[in-house]
Structures are given as C-alpha cells and as structure tokens.
Amino acid sequence: MNALHGASEAQDVLKSLVHLVRADAANLLRADETTDRIRYVARHDVGAGRFLTSAPYTYLREIMGASLHVARPGSIWCLSEVIAADDRAHSDGLGSQTDRPAISEALILTLATGKSRADFLEIQFCSEPLQHNLDLLRVLSGTLVTCWQRRTPLTVKKWLVRSQVNPVGKPSQTSEVVLLDANNPAGLSRAEFRVCSMLNQGMTVKVIAATLALSESTIRCHLSSIFSKTGATCQVELLGLMNAAHVAIAPGKTSACTT
C-alpha cells in the first residue's frame, strides 16, 4: 500500500482493488461524528464516462446505521444483509427484483474508529459478486486495516484537500435533457423511476414505502442509486432537477446497473 506512504495516489490503489475483486466502484470515506458529515477521501469508478458520476453516492449510513462510529476495525458490513433484515421485519414488503436497488451489493470495511471520526472502505457491485471475490475481500481485510493504521501522518488530510480541488468524476461534457423523460436519460430502473415520480407528487419516503409495501430502508437505497445517476446529493436537489426544465446528463450515457 505505497499510497499510504505517499508513494502513489489513492485512486490507483482503489483501481487495483476494484479490478482484483471484479467490483464496479470503491470509496475511501471519512465520517466525522462532530459535524455528522461523510467525506470522500478518494474514489474509483469503472463506470466513469459511461454514466453521471459528479455526485457519487455512498451506502455507508444505510448499512452502518447506529454502528457508524462504534464499529470494530476490520469488521465487514453488507447492504444485502440490511435489506434482508428489513424484509424480515416487513414480511408483507417482499418485492420483485425490479423493486430492489439497482446496485446488487455494497460492502463496508471498517478501517479505523476514533474519538470523533471513523474511516471506511466501501466496495460496490452492480451485479451479484462471486463468492470467491467476497472471500478474497475478507482475506485482504486484515492487511488493509493494518496498512491504514500504519499510514504516514497527514496522508488523509492531503487527499481530502486534493479531492476538494478536483471533484471526483466530474464530467467534462453535458447535454440538457428532461430527467423524467420517457427515454429515461439517467438510466433509472423501473423502481427508481417510480420512486422519483411519487417523490415528485409530494410523497414522503414513509408514504412511498407504505404505498409500494416496501421498507423505508429499501426506498432510501433506491434514492441512493438515483442520486448517483442524476448527480443530486439530497431529495431537495432531486426535486429541483425534476421540476427544472432540463437537467445535465452525460451525453449518450446510461448506467450499467439499469434493470
């Protein structure tokens, strides 16, 4: 992990890791308990250039929940387990595959937890990951945590400053299209398109979940994927995009995760 000692870039490490486990994206994240803010330290996305990545989304809050700042370093948390738990709690909310978030799996590795901040590695898969790739991640987890804890001082601070100067995945060209157009320019799945439409009608996450007989967590996972595809960072921004005349989307690009 030469990047942790200043010998290479964090994105290069994430790129190698994504390639090794056949993933689609990786986020290096820092959660600040004092400000309740999550910051991107670094990111690599194999879909960069195929779909909008100006506002990449992390599933960290959905997956970690109340354990965000108390998780044990080296522990691994899975999006699929969160959804399964929600389904068990809402036995009448089992939906079809099209009612699932467009992303198939997201894994969170806790790298370090401190008094007021915690660091995480997130790996995202658009399609269902192979078991041996998941096993490989678990084998590597101990080494990744050890290397992170032994990193050169101020390494993360340097990366954070650099990420603010050079926003991750900002597209160089855009064209104006209508977000909820029948051509579906953002590459939303049917479930995501439906959630957008209901949100645009003034429904809250709770009402949408009740209407679709799904858990609120599942609806929020849909929103996470929608944010990633549209460039919105919150529901207010998403509503603004849907009610604006046009929205900028990378030309001719749709998400590889569309179902």
Side-chain angles (χ1 to χ4, degrees):
M1 298 287 285
N2 292 332
L4 296 178
H5 301 288
S8 61
E9 295 298 327
Q11 285 84 353
D12 294 333
V13 175
L14 296 182
K15 180 179 180 180
S16 297
L17 184 59
V18 163
H19 177 74
L20 182 64
V21 299
R22 299 296 188 268
D24 293 279
N27 296 321
L28 194 54
L29 305 159
R30 168 158 289 181
D32 190 311
E33 187 173 17
T34 304
T35 61
D36 193 30
R37 180 184 180 189
I38 295 175
R39 303 177 68 184
Y40 287 90
V41 178
R43 175 176 169 84
H44 174 71
D45 187 345
V46 298
R50 288 207 308 267
F51 57 95
L52 188 66
T53 57
S54 60
Y57 194 85
T58 173
Y59 291 81
L60 183 61
R61 290 190 190 277
E62 286 85 347
I63 295 174
M64 301 298 294
S67 300
L68 184 61
H69 291 283
V70 296
R72 177 178 56 83
S75 59
I76 297 178
W77 304 68
C78 305
L79 177 63
S80 58
E81 294 177 358
V82 173
I83 293 177
D86 282 339
D87 284 340
R88 288 194 295 270
H90 301 79
S91 57
D92 60 342
L94 292 174
S96 63
Q97 187 65 30
T98 56
D99 288 323
R100 291 297 184 215
I103 191 170
S104 177
E105 182 65 286
L107 274 67
I108 301 290
L109 170 63
T110 307
L111 296 172
T113 52
K115 185 176 181 180
S116 61
R117 66 190 183 195
D119 299 323
F120 304 90
L121 172 66
E122 177 182 25
I123 306 294
Q124 298 179 355
F125 298 86
C126 284
S127 56
E128 185 175 355
L130 297 176
Q131 186 59 48
H132 72 265
N133 287 329
L134 297 179
D135 292 339
L136 180 56
L137 271 174
R138 290 184 170 87
V139 170
L140 292 172
S141 62
T143 300
L144 291 169
V145 171
T146 299
C147 290
W148 184 258
Q149 293 176 344
R150 294 178 179 176
R151 67 188 182 278
T152 300
L154 301 181
T155 299
V156 176
K157 183 177 181 180
K158 178 183 69 175
W159 288 343
L160 284 170
V161 170
R162 189 172 301 171
S163 66
Q164 291 175 348
V165 175
N166 301 301
V168 177
K170 185 176 182 179
S172 57
Q173 294 180 335
T174 60
S175 60
E176 290 188 339
V177 293
V178 179
L179 179 59
L180 292 182
D181 184 81
N183 292 324
N184 192 15
L188 302 177
S189 70
R190 285 188 295 173
E192 291 165 357
F193 200 96
R194 184 167 58 226
V195 168
C196 277
S197 297
M198 297 173 77
L199 190 67
N200 202 33
Q201 294 171 25
M203 297 186 186
T204 64
V205 169
K206 184 176 182 179
V207 172
I208 294 173
T211 303
L212 299 179
L214 297 170
S215 69
E216 291 183 37
S217 180
T218 298
I219 300 302
R220 292 189 187 282
C221 285
H222 283 315
L223 283 171
S224 297
S225 181
I226 292 167
F227 292 159
S228 179
K229 293 178 181 181
T230 62
T233 59
C234 63
Q235 293 181 42
V236 173
E237 284 190 13
L238 180 60
L239 285 169
L241 291 176
M242 288 189 289
N243 288 283
H246 297 85
V247 58
I249 300 289
K253 311 302 181 183
T254 58
S255 171
C257 301
T258 305
T259 59

